[in-house]
């Protein structure tokens, strides 16, 4: 039996779209409304339907969302910034509460999955990881949260961190992280030996924060790609930020892009506001998977952000100079399907057989949604209208 039929929606290209739901999954979809039979019929009144968003890079342990506003405090160095962060987090509400508040906010905007980097090093141990894991439990089945053990303070330069990264993976972190192997750690080979060694032994994915600029950063990208290819880790390695790809000339960029594509290494960018970032279209043309995330949200690093991945897609398009519909849809793909592929989500997207979880927005197509990032969202999970959606979209014909 079909539980519900949703009619009069539009797809990403603005074409008519209707779908039927049975047992929480999409049973049929297309331009013509499927036969309703005894099912409830819900008129979506021309709203755009999108799959839930995927935040490929967020820091649930750092945000002050759920607590009081904290004015940003400038810092003169990375180490000074880390000291400020520790001081402010110690005075903030419990981490589990703040993580829960940020997940709730992101979910309300339509996020259904995320990769959260969580600080794991010799100064914090596994405390942050355990707090975020506890917050994650509340959202299981609603928001799919993949955890990355992130050595914020360094690996080789922070003795004991290597052992804790391995412990974090054994306790449930699916991803092992790294950070600026040369400029922060001073030992690129040592850090990469550690990170890739853990991934190889324990079957973890890899996601390395790389802020190193220019050709120094490109050299790190090439090292990471070579190691990923040598270990057969295609599709399991990502580099977050990779600012260097926006610093260098086309020859160096294209060489790095070829290496990344050959090795199956993905690039995450949030299009940060104060510096160059990877050229999205040129990397994608070379076959590199490029995805997006919000990164830090209202924390010690910067005051911006609200967890809305559609707004992040708009910012990526804005900073990239995306004007055509095709380019705007690229930004949307980065905030949805590309991130889902990197996280390895199964059954994601508006396709027959997949879970009937989607977002309805007042927009004529996907490009328009990215350009305007309308704040109004109506959520549907497993075929059920959630919250406001249940009152706004009434049943046209009740079940017999």
């Amino acid at each position: 039996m079909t539980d519900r039929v949703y009619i009069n929606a539009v797809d990403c290209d603005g074409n008519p779209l209707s779908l039927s739901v049975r047992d929480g999954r999409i049973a049929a979809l297309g331009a013509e409304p499927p036969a309703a039979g005894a099912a409830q019929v819900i008129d979506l009144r021309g709203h755009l339907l999108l799959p839930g968003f995927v935040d490929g890079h967020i820091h649930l342990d750092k945000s002050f969302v759920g607590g009081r506003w904290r004015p940003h405090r400038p810092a003169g160095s990375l180490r000074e910034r880390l000291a400020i962060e520790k001081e402010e987090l110690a005075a903030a509400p419990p981490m589990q509460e703040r993580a829960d508040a940020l997940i709730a906010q992101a979910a309300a905007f339509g996020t259904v999955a995320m990769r959260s980097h969580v600080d794991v090093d010799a100064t914090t141990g596994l405390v942050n990881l355990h707090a975020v894991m506890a917050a994650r439990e509340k959202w299981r089945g609603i928001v799919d949260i993949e955890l990355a053990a992130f050595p914020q303070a360094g690996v080789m330069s922070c003795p004991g961190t290597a052992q804790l990264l391995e412990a974090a993976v054994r306790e449930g972190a699916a991803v092992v992280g790294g950070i600026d192997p040369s400029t922060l750690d001073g030992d690129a080979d040592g850090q990469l030996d550690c990170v890739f060694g853990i991934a190889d032994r324990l079957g973890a994915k890899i996601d390395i924060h790389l802020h190193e600029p220019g050709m120094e950063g490109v050299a790190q990208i090439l090292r990471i790609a070579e190691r990923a290819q040598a270990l057969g880790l295609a599709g399991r390695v990502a580099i977050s930020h990779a600012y260097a790809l926006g610093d260098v000339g086309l020859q160096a960029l294209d060489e790095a892009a070829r290496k990344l594509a050959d090795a199956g290494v993905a690039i995450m960018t949030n299009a940060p506001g104060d510096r160059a970032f990877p050229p999205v279209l040129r990397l994608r043309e070379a076959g590199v998977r490029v995805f997006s995330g919000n990164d830090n949200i209202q924390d010690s690093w910067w005051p911006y952000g609200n967890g809305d991945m559609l707004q992040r897609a708009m910012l990526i398009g804005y900073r990239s100079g995306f004007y055509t519909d095709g380019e705007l849809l690229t930004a949307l793909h980065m905030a949805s399907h590309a991130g889902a592929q990197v996280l390895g989500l199964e059954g994601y997207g508006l396709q027959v057989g997949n879970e009937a979880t989607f977002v309805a927005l007042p927009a004529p197509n996907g490009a328009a949604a990215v350009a305007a990032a309308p704040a109004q969202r109506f959520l549907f999970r497993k075929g059920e209208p959630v919250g406001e959606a249940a009152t706004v979209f009434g049943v046209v014909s009740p079940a017999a």
Side-chain angles (χ1 to χ4, degrees):
M1 173 181 171
T2 299
D3 303 313
R4 282 189 180 84
V5 172
Y6 290 95
I7 62 172
N8 294 334
V10 297
D11 66 14
C12 227
D13 295 320
N15 299 316
L17 179 66
S18 296
L19 61 89
S20 64
V21 176
R22 184 181 294 114
D23 297 328
R25 296 191 171 273
I26 299 172
L29 78 166
E32 296 297 323
Q40 291 181 330
V41 178
I42 297 179
D43 188 348
L44 293 175
R45 302 199 294 268
H47 278 65
L48 167 69
L49 291 196
L50 296 175
F53 303 113
V54 178
D55 191 329
H57 188 118
I58 192 170
H59 292 268
L60 292 173
D61 59 333
K62 296 176 180 291
S63 177
F64 298 130
V65 168
R68 67 175 177 82
W69 173 260
R70 293 175 180 267
H72 183 72
R73 293 166 58 184
S77 67
L78 175 60
R79 296 296 182 186
E80 185 180 347
R81 170 63 58 214
L82 293 175
I84 290 173
E85 179 183 52
K86 286 193 179 297
E87 178 185 329
E88 292 190 328
L89 287 177
M95 186 172 295
Q96 183 177 338
E97 293 180 13
R98 290 182 287 104
D100 176 69
L102 182 51
I103 298 167
Q105 191 162 297
F109 283 118
T111 290
V112 297
M114 57 179 64
R115 172 178 286 179
S116 176
H117 295 259
V118 182
D119 284 10
V120 171
D121 57 52
T123 64
T124 60
L126 300 180
V127 172
N128 291 19
L129 180 70
H130 293 156
V132 176
M133 289 177 76
R136 177 176 68 170
E137 279 305 305
K138 177 179 176 180
W139 292 92
R140 190 173 295 279
I142 300 173
V143 181
D144 190 318
I145 303 174
E146 182 180 69
L147 300 181
F150 174 45
Q152 175 77 79
V155 179
M156 312 309 293
S157 58
C158 188
T161 295
Q163 292 77 13
L164 283 164
L165 288 175
E166 181 158 342
V169 172
R170 292 187 183 280
E171 291 202 21
V175 186
V176 59
I179 180 171
D180 298 338
S182 290
T183 57
L184 179 64
D185 248 5
D187 183 358
D189 286 335
Q191 182 181 131
L192 296 180
D193 283 346
C194 171
V195 170
F196 277 87
I198 292 172
D200 190 36
R201 288 194 302 277
L202 302 182
K205 302 176 190 175
I206 294 171
D207 194 331
I208 297 174
H209 283 59
L210 189 64
H211 313 95
E212 297 178 11
M215 292 306 296
E216 183 176 23
V218 169
Q220 299 289 9
I221 289 168
L222 296 179
R223 287 190 185 103
I224 293 168
E226 288 167 3
R227 286 172 180 257
Q229 192 164 30
L231 288 174
L233 295 177
R236 299 185 61 81
V237 179
I239 301 174
S240 287
H241 306 306
Y243 295 154
L245 295 175
D247 289 335
V248 299
L250 292 182
Q251 183 176 348
L253 169 63
D254 289 344
E255 179 188 358
R258 285 193 298 272
K259 296 283 189 180
L260 290 166
D262 290 344
V265 175
I267 296 292
M268 191 294 303
T269 185
N270 65 321
D274 62 346
R275 65 154 303 135
F277 61 96
V280 171
L281 296 182
R282 198 168 186 97
L283 288 173
R284 283 172 60 101
E285 289 167 2
V288 181
R289 179 168 293 152
V290 188
F291 66 112
S292 61
N294 275 298
D295 197 19
N296 299 80
I297 296 175
Q298 295 179 29
D299 58 16
S300 295
W301 296 82
W302 58 41
Y304 295 101
N306 60 4
D308 182 359
M309 281 303 295
L310 184 60
Q311 184 184 84
R312 181 58 50 185
M314 182 270 287
L315 291 170
I316 289 169
Y318 181 85
R319 288 224 58 215
S320 298
F322 290 172
Y323 298 125
T324 68
D325 281 14
E327 291 169 343
L328 292 169
L329 289 176
T330 291
L332 182 59
H333 186 267
M334 291 170 60
S336 54
H337 289 275
Q341 290 165 347
V342 171
L343 269 62
L345 301 181
E346 296 183 0
Y348 174 84
L350 297 178
Q351 296 182 23
V352 172
N354 286 351
E355 185 176 281
T357 294
F358 51 87
V359 185
L361 305 93
N365 54 50
V370 173
Q376 191 176 48
R377 313 288 164 83
F378 298 104
L379 309 179
F380 300 82
R381 294 195 185 107
K382 299 180 181 179
E384 297 283 342
V386 177
E388 191 179 3
T391 58
V392 170
F393 299 106
V395 175
V396 174
S397 59

